[in-house]
PDB file of all heavy atoms in Angstrom:
ATOM      1  N   ALA R  80      45.446  36.692  42.821  1.00 98.00           N
ATOM      2  CA  ALA R  80      44.418  35.989  43.591  1.00 98.00           C
ATOM      3  C   ALA R  80      43.870  36.873  44.699  1.00 98.00           C
ATOM      4  O   ALA R  80      42.737  36.704  45.143  1.00 98.00           O
ATOM      5  CB  ALA R  80      45.007  34.722  44.188  1.00 98.00           C
ATOM      6  N   ASP R  81      44.693  37.815  45.171  1.00 98.00           N
ATOM      7  CA  ASP R  81      44.284  38.622  46.321  1.00 98.00           C
ATOM      8  C   ASP R  81      44.984  39.981  46.262  1.00 98.00           C
ATOM      9  O   ASP R  81      46.140  40.061  45.844  1.00 98.00           O
ATOM     10  CB  ASP R  81      44.693  37.891  47.615  1.00 98.00           C
ATOM     11  CG  ASP R  81      43.885  38.365  48.819  1.00 98.00           C
ATOM     12  OD1 ASP R  81      42.941  39.154  48.631  1.00 98.00           O
ATOM     13  OD2 ASP R  81      44.214  37.938  49.939  1.00 98.00           O
ATOM     14  N   ALA R  82      44.272  41.022  46.671  1.00 98.00           N
ATOM     15  CA  ALA R  82      44.895  42.349  46.777  1.00 98.00           C
ATOM     16  C   ALA R  82      44.665  42.870  48.187  1.00 98.00           C
ATOM     17  O   ALA R  82      43.610  42.625  48.780  1.00 98.00           O
ATOM     18  CB  ALA R  82      44.296  43.306  45.749  1.00 98.00           C
ATOM     19  N   ILE R  83      45.666  43.575  48.696  1.00 98.00           N
ATOM     20  CA  ILE R  83      45.599  44.111  50.057  1.00 98.00           C
ATOM     21  C   ILE R  83      46.033  45.570  49.953  1.00 98.00           C
ATOM     22  O   ILE R  83      47.147  45.843  49.482  1.00 98.00           O
ATOM     23  CB  ILE R  83      46.559  43.321  50.993  1.00 98.00           C
ATOM     24  CG1 ILE R  83      46.191  41.828  50.943  1.00 98.00           C
ATOM     25  CG2 ILE R  83      46.478  43.816  52.430  1.00 98.00           C
ATOM     26  CD1 ILE R  83      47.348  40.926  50.779  1.00 98.00           C
ATOM     27  N   VAL R  84      45.150  46.492  50.336  1.00 99.00           N
ATOM     28  CA  VAL R  84      45.479  47.906  50.130  1.00 99.00           C
ATOM     29  C   VAL R  84      45.846  48.596  51.445  1.00 99.00           C
ATOM     30  O   VAL R  84      45.433  48.176  52.527  1.00 99.00           O
ATOM     31  CB  VAL R  84      44.350  48.666  49.388  1.00 99.00           C
ATOM     32  CG1 VAL R  84      44.181  48.139  47.977  1.00 99.00           C
ATOM     33  CG2 VAL R  84      43.044  48.631  50.151  1.00 99.00           C
ATOM     34  N   PHE R  85      46.609  49.664  51.312  1.00 98.00           N
ATOM     35  CA  PHE R  85      47.190  50.359  52.454  1.00 98.00           C
ATOM     36  C   PHE R  85      46.996  51.868  52.304  1.00 98.00           C
ATOM     37  O   PHE R  85      46.573  52.346  51.252  1.00 98.00           O
ATOM     38  CB  PHE R  85      48.685  50.025  52.559  1.00 98.00           C
ATOM     39  CG  PHE R  85      48.932  48.577  52.896  1.00 98.00           C
ATOM     40  CD1 PHE R  85      48.936  47.606  51.901  1.00 98.00           C
ATOM     41  CD2 PHE R  85      49.120  48.179  54.209  1.00 98.00           C
ATOM     42  CE1 PHE R  85      49.135  46.265  52.207  1.00 98.00           C
ATOM     43  CE2 PHE R  85      49.317  46.834  54.527  1.00 98.00           C
ATOM     44  CZ  PHE R  85      49.326  45.888  53.522  1.00 98.00           C
ATOM     45  N   SER R  86      47.347  52.578  53.366  1.00 98.00           N
ATOM     46  CA  SER R  86      47.147  54.029  53.371  1.00 98.00           C
ATOM     47  C   SER R  86      48.151  54.769  52.493  1.00 98.00           C
ATOM     48  O   SER R  86      47.971  55.944  52.211  1.00 98.00           O
ATOM     49  CB  SER R  86      47.236  54.550  54.807  1.00 98.00           C
ATOM     50  OG  SER R  86      48.445  54.094  55.384  1.00 98.00           O
ATOM     51  N   SER R  87      49.221  54.099  52.083  1.00 98.00           N
ATOM     52  CA  SER R  87      50.213  54.709  51.175  1.00 98.00           C
ATOM     53  C   SER R  87      51.056  53.596  50.580  1.00 98.00           C
ATOM     54  O   SER R  87      51.038  52.455  51.086  1.00 98.00           O
ATOM     55  CB  SER R  87      51.130  55.694  51.936  1.00 98.00           C
ATOM     56  OG  SER R  87      51.941  54.977  52.842  1.00 98.00           O
ATOM     57  N   GLY R  88      51.808  53.949  49.563  1.00 98.00           N
ATOM     58  CA  GLY R  88      52.747  52.984  48.996  1.00 98.00           C
ATOM     59  C   GLY R  88      53.806  52.601  50.026  1.00 98.00           C
ATOM     60  O   GLY R  88      54.216  51.444  50.100  1.00 98.00           O
ATOM     61  N   ALA R  89      54.226  53.574  50.814  1.00 98.00           N
ATOM     62  CA  ALA R  89      55.248  53.297  51.833  1.00 98.00           C
ATOM     63  C   ALA R  89      54.726  52.283  52.847  1.00 98.00           C
ATOM     64  O   ALA R  89      55.457  51.388  53.289  1.00 98.00           O
ATOM     65  CB  ALA R  89      55.656  54.600  52.521  1.00 98.00           C
ATOM     66  N   ALA R  90      53.453  52.397  53.216  1.00 98.00           N
ATOM     67  CA  ALA R  90      52.866  51.443  54.175  1.00 98.00           C
ATOM     68  C   ALA R  90      52.784  50.052  53.551  1.00 98.00           C
ATOM     69  O   ALA R  90      53.023  49.048  54.237  1.00 98.00           O
ATOM     70  CB  ALA R  90      51.478  51.916  54.602  1.00 98.00           C
ATOM     71  N   ALA R  91      52.465  49.998  52.258  1.00 98.00           N
ATOM     72  CA  ALA R  91      52.393  48.700  51.575  1.00 98.00           C
ATOM     73  C   ALA R  91      53.779  48.042  51.555  1.00 98.00           C
ATOM     74  O   ALA R  91      53.925  46.850  51.865  1.00 98.00           O
ATOM     75  CB  ALA R  91      51.863  48.878  50.150  1.00 98.00           C
ATOM     76  N   ALA R  92      54.801  48.827  51.205  1.00 98.00           N
ATOM     77  CA  ALA R  92      56.170  48.289  51.163  1.00 98.00           C
ATOM     78  C   ALA R  92      56.598  47.835  52.558  1.00 98.00           C
ATOM     79  O   ALA R  92      57.191  46.762  52.718  1.00 98.00           O
ATOM     80  CB  ALA R  92      57.121  49.354  50.624  1.00 98.00           C
ATOM     81  N   SER R  93      56.256  48.627  53.575  1.00 98.00           N
ATOM     82  CA  SER R  93      56.637  48.275  54.955  1.00 98.00           C
ATOM     83  C   SER R  93      56.039  46.940  55.354  1.00 98.00           C
ATOM     84  O   SER R  93      56.694  46.122  56.010  1.00 98.00           O
ATOM     85  CB  SER R  93      56.150  49.338  55.949  1.00 98.00           C
ATOM     86  OG  SER R  93      56.711  50.575  55.618  1.00 98.00           O
ATOM     87  N   ALA R  94      54.772  46.709  54.955  1.00 98.00           N
ATOM     88  CA  ALA R  94      54.108  45.451  55.319  1.00 98.00           C
ATOM     89  C   ALA R  94      54.855  44.263  54.723  1.00 98.00           C
ATOM     90  O   ALA R  94      54.974  43.212  55.359  1.00 98.00           O
ATOM     91  CB  ALA R  94      52.658  45.465  54.859  1.00 98.00           C
ATOM     92  N   VAL R  95      55.367  44.439  53.500  1.00 98.00           N
ATOM     93  CA  VAL R  95      56.118  43.341  52.870  1.00 98.00           C
ATOM     94  C   VAL R  95      57.343  42.995  53.721  1.00 98.00           C
ATOM     95  O   VAL R  95      57.597  41.831  54.033  1.00 98.00           O
ATOM     96  CB  VAL R  95      56.554  43.718  51.437  1.00 98.00           C
ATOM     97  CG1 VAL R  95      57.427  42.629  50.830  1.00 98.00           C
ATOM     98  CG2 VAL R  95      55.330  43.968  50.566  1.00 98.00           C
TER      99      VAL R  95
END
Side-chain angles (χ1 to χ4, degrees):
D81 201 7
I83 303 133
V84 295
F85 294 83
S86 53
S87 67
S93 301
V95 175

